[in-house]
Amino acid sequence: MTSAVKTTARPSLAQLLLPYWVSEDRYWAWGLLATNLAINFGSVYVSLAAIRIVATTTDALVARDWPTLWGALGLGLALGMTMAFLAIINYAAQDYLRIRWRTWMTHGFIHQWTADQRFYGVERDGLLSNADQRVAEDIDVFVQRALSLSVGTITTVVNAFTFGAVLWSMSGTLEFDLAGTHYTIAGYLLYAALLYSLLGMLIAQWMGKPLIALNTRKQTVEADFRALGMNLRENAEQIAFYRGGPQEGRRMMRQFREIQLNFVALVIRTSKLLITNTTYFHIGSLVPTALSMPRYLSGAVSLGDITQITASFERVHSSLNYFITSYVDFSIWLASANRLRDFKAALDKLQFNRTGIQFKSSSEAVLTASPLALAAPTGELLSHVAAIRIEPGQRWLIRGASGSGKSTLMRALSGLWPYGNGDITLPGAQATTLFVPQKSYIPEGSLKAALCYPDVEARFTTEQCRQALLDVGLSERAESLSLCDDWQKVLSGGEQQRLAIARVLLQKPQFVFFDEATSGLDIASEHALYQVIFARLSNSAIISISHNPQLDSYYPYQLNVTCARHAVPA
Ligand SMILES: Nc1ncnc2c1ncn2[C@@H]1O[C@H](COP(=O)(O)OP(=O)(O)OP(=O)(O)O)[C@@H](O)[C@H]1O
């Protein structure tokens, strides 16, 4: 027995981050990023000029030099307006890049998720929860935070270097004696800012690390809670019949409790980080004044110089402080990135894991299978099936005890179940196939669209559709083809089964698989429907699973599914 599931490695962060930047959209991507960075760098230099203007204004005030004062104020106003204009362009460029990147990633994930029915594989194998949320929300969080954090980091470094240089040039030299040795430190205020920021980063790392796990958990518990609500909505009737409301309510409240507990843990941890950050930041604003006071009192620097030193120190310090304040954002980004990496790993596993049953495509309209061993996704052997060759025009009945693996065989014959051993050759692309389970999918919209699904409405005339409905006994709906509704709710179980059979009559596939597709009908209707099917689809292969022995005589060919788990030794 082949082990069905083979682990595919989780892609690295780089494998998630980089592909967009070398994709067909790369010119837009780099162009917008360059605009964004250029404006940010421009803003750094505008801020530098603004600090110089404040220093000039202060010295002009002390000297009562009115012409210099008015000139500096005018320049300050012009710079302020320039900064406001740049901020708007910056915002637009970053958001436009965000939606382009998100669109590109969303297309990629949707394509990989929906190709080869992989969305089904994800659920069938229980590979991960809330795949929909990963597409709808995680991609956006990932892209938005990746942009703001990376642009923020680059700008911060430029900021720190620019104002660091100012600080260095204005610091002067610190001289002192210690244990009989004379020390001279040039640019000591810059070292002080760097040391102080390093201390802050170490504290933030120590205090903030648990936030990553808490934010990952936040997204998971919120998604699980939403899933319970969706489950209640989708199974409203069944749950109401069981009077299951209170039970569902308790389940939802239990799940909500997880959200609450995680929220409290997040608030406590964030508050601790915030207290540390705020204390650290406020002390930081006193450090440059205290350190440059001796030089001011000795007359080495003017009051304007002091404002420039203090502002530069604060810019260096607050730039490096960015790494501390961004810790929460970073933890949210990493949580989303990890959820997307798991999603990608699951999709890759479904795409590239080719062990188990081997599928081929035939050049003719024929379905063949070697003797098959069917297994569960865990590798556990479920059932054995003899070799088959099904040709158009033949009628096959699949038999076996309940739970023996009949539906699993149907899934394998449709290419949806790879677990087990053996070879299946599916009819070539030119042969049409339709699977009709006990409960068929009926999309919302017009009755005609529901009837023609998965084909397009335009392929069939209204008259053909009307006739198909009349043939399956849905005459009262025959005039409502253009009516839009949620037909899955409006039609009874038996009516939905009739509609699914009307699809078969309309689309006339060469291979039709019925998996207890008429279980909701009375015996007379069931017989009548099969008569119509056999008459209209005499050239199609019809393969059925049915627990009704009265239908056995319709099927010249029969195939037994033998349960491997319940087998009793001879
Ligand atoms: N996704 C799955 N993961 C694990 N086991 C599964 C999965 N789907 C089906 N099985 C197991 O495979 C076995 C066969 O199920 P299957 O639905 O094929 O039986 P069946 O013969 O069609 O049953 P019935 O006649 O009652 O409808 C069952 O024991 C079921 O638990």
Side-chain angles (χ1 to χ4, degrees):
M1 172 68 43
T2 320
S3 169
V5 183
K6 192 177 140 213
T7 315
T8 306
R10 207 187 195 200
S12 65
L13 273 176
Q15 282 171 299
L16 205 61
L17 269 171
L18 300 182
Y20 174 65
W21 301 91
V22 291
S23 71
E24 63 291 348
D25 209 38
R26 60 187 178 278
Y27 298 115
W28 271 106
W30 289 108
L32 287 165
L33 184 67
T35 310
N36 204 204
L37 285 172
I39 293 176
N40 276 2
F41 296 165
S43 303
V44 173
Y45 287 96
V46 171
S47 309
L48 187 63
I51 285 178
R52 290 205 172 116
I53 290 169
V54 172
T56 311
T57 312
T58 311
D59 284 340
L61 271 173
V62 172
R64 294 194 167 78
D65 176 357
W66 297 112
T68 310
L69 191 61
W70 284 117
L73 286 176
L75 197 57
L77 185 67
L79 278 178
M81 287 171 72
T82 313
M83 278 175 100
F85 177 68
L86 289 179
I88 295 167
I89 298 190
N90 210 15
Y91 167 77
Q94 195 172 92
D95 269 21
Y96 190 44
L97 177 55
R98 174 180 164 187
I99 192 65
R100 288 195 80 94
W101 190 1
R102 183 182 173 190
T103 307
W104 188 87
M105 274 188 87
T106 304
H107 278 182
F109 269 102
I110 288 184
H111 176 75
Q112 208 189 353
W113 188 31
T114 52
D116 288 336
Q117 326 306 325
R118 266 173 233 134
F119 54 90
Y120 168 71
V122 169
E123 307 304 323
R124 176 195 63 205
D125 302 353
L127 291 178
L128 41 84
S129 58
N130 312 311
D132 53 326
Q133 190 213 353
R134 293 169 204 250
V135 173
E137 282 175 29
D138 285 322
I139 294 178
D140 190 33
V141 174
F142 173 79
V143 165
Q144 192 255 326
R145 297 281 201 292
L147 281 177
S148 60
L149 287 168
S150 55
V151 171
T153 303
I154 296 172
T155 311
T156 295
V157 171
V158 172
N159 233 322
F161 271 101
T162 310
F163 289 97
V166 176
L167 199 55
W168 172 273
S169 68
M170 302 207 67
S171 289
T173 307
L174 181 69
E175 294 188 30
F176 60 95
D177 293 307
L178 190 70
T181 315
H182 185 72
Y183 291 95
T184 310
I185 307 174
Y188 70 99
L189 280 171
L190 177 62
Y191 293 122
L194 291 177
L195 272 177
Y196 193 70
S197 302
L198 183 70
L199 176 74
M201 276 191 261
L202 291 175
I203 296 173
Q205 161 72 12
W206 173 59
M207 294 289 292
K209 204 168 176 214
L211 281 177
I212 295 176
L214 287 170
N215 274 314
T216 307
R217 182 151 173 74
K218 175 176 187 286
Q219 277 153 327
T220 310
V221 290
E222 294 272 5
D224 289 347
F225 181 65
R226 262 199 308 276
L228 281 182
M230 259 166 60
N231 179 55
L232 183 65
R233 208 159 44 78
E234 279 167 11
N235 301 298
E237 191 178 86
Q238 287 103 307
I239 294 170
F241 269 129
Y242 279 114
R243 302 286 185 266
Q247 178 124 349
E248 293 304 312
R250 279 195 295 277
R251 244 151 61 95
M252 288 186 75
M253 285 317 296
R254 255 202 315 275
Q255 186 58 39
F256 189 72
R257 179 102 189 105
E258 296 291 318
I259 295 180
Q260 267 182 316
L261 291 176
N262 195 67
F263 184 81
V264 172
L266 257 172
V267 169
I268 293 173
R269 180 51 62 176
T270 311
S271 306
K272 283 183 185 168
L273 187 64
L274 219 60
I275 292 168
T276 322
N277 281 357
T278 319
T279 315
Y280 164 81
F281 197 76
H282 282 300
I283 294 174
S285 61
L286 301 174
V287 174
T289 317
L291 288 177
S292 49
M293 215 34 89
R295 296 190 69 227
Y296 176 71
L297 294 175
S298 71
V301 287
S302 70
L303 189 60
D305 290 338
I306 290 287
T307 61
Q308 206 171 335
I309 288 172
T310 312
S312 300
F313 187 97
E314 270 174 13
R315 286 302 288 245
V316 173
H317 168 232
S318 66
S319 298
L320 297 173
N321 205 32
Y322 171 83
F323 296 109
I324 301 164
T325 50
S326 303
Y327 211 94
V328 176
D329 269 351
F330 177 73
S331 67
I332 293 173
W333 174 77
L334 199 59
S336 290
N338 287 341
R339 285 168 59 78
L340 289 175
R341 288 165 72 200
D342 286 341
F343 191 19
K344 182 102 184 62
L347 295 175
D348 285 347
K349 182 157 100 177
L350 292 167
Q351 187 170 357
F352 302 115
N353 181 19
R354 291 284 175 228
T355 55
I357 296 174
Q358 297 302 305
F359 293 96
K360 281 182 239 142
S361 184
S362 167
S363 52
E364 326 159 52
V366 61
L367 173 63
T368 60
S370 67
L372 295 174
L374 299 171
T378 52
E380 184 197 2
L381 182 62
L382 295 175
S383 29
H384 291 290
V385 188
I388 39 170
R389 179 183 169 86
I390 304 175
E391 293 175 17
Q394 294 181 344
R395 291 183 219 154
W396 285 78
L397 181 66
I398 298 179
R399 304 167 61 103
S402 175
S404 58
K406 301 182 294 298
S407 298
T408 307
L409 173 64
M410 283 273 195
R411 290 178 196 124
L413 293 179
S414 72
L416 289 178
W417 193 270
Y419 301 117
N421 262 330
D423 299 303
I424 296 179
T425 307
L426 300 167
Q430 71 284 359
T432 47
T433 305
L434 211 56
F435 284 81
V436 189
Q438 206 168 345
K439 191 161 170 51
S440 282
Y441 172 64
I442 304 176
E444 249 183 89
S446 75
L447 184 59
K448 185 174 177 195
L451 179 59
C452 298
Y453 187 87
D455 236 316
V456 287
E457 274 181 74
R459 244 203 79 198
F460 305 101
T461 64
T462 303
E463 190 42 42
Q464 284 173 311
C465 295
R466 228 175 63 82
Q467 190 56 51
L469 290 179
L470 293 176
D471 289 341
V472 296
L474 285 177
S475 47
E476 71 284 10
R477 303 280 177 190
E479 305 310 323
S480 315
L481 280 163
S482 56
L483 197 69
C484 290
D485 217 325
D486 185 355
W487 297 105
Q488 211 136 1
K489 287 205 185 112
V490 172
L491 299 177
S492 74
E495 284 175 330
Q496 290 182 39
Q497 291 193 333
R498 285 176 195 270
L499 183 82
I501 289 173
R503 269 182 196 158
V504 174
L505 297 180
L506 189 67
Q507 302 183 20
K508 295 192 174 48
Q510 278 170 288
F511 289 81
V512 198
F513 293 80
F514 291 114
D515 186 354
E516 299 180 45
T518 49
S519 58
L521 302 178
D522 57 274
I523 297 204
S525 304
E526 206 176 8
H527 273 282
L529 271 183
Y530 275 107
Q531 298 289 359
V532 177
I533 294 167
F534 296 140
R536 298 285 167 80
L537 281 84
S538 54
N539 293 325
S540 302
I542 295 170
I543 304 105
S544 293
I545 296 175
S546 168
H547 288 297
N548 182 358
Q550 296 184 12
L551 299 175
D552 284 12
S553 57
Y554 287 129
Y555 297 92
Y557 300 92
Q558 300 203 350
L559 178 69
N560 276 318
V561 177
T562 317
C563 182
R565 288 185 304 181
H566 307 152
V568 181

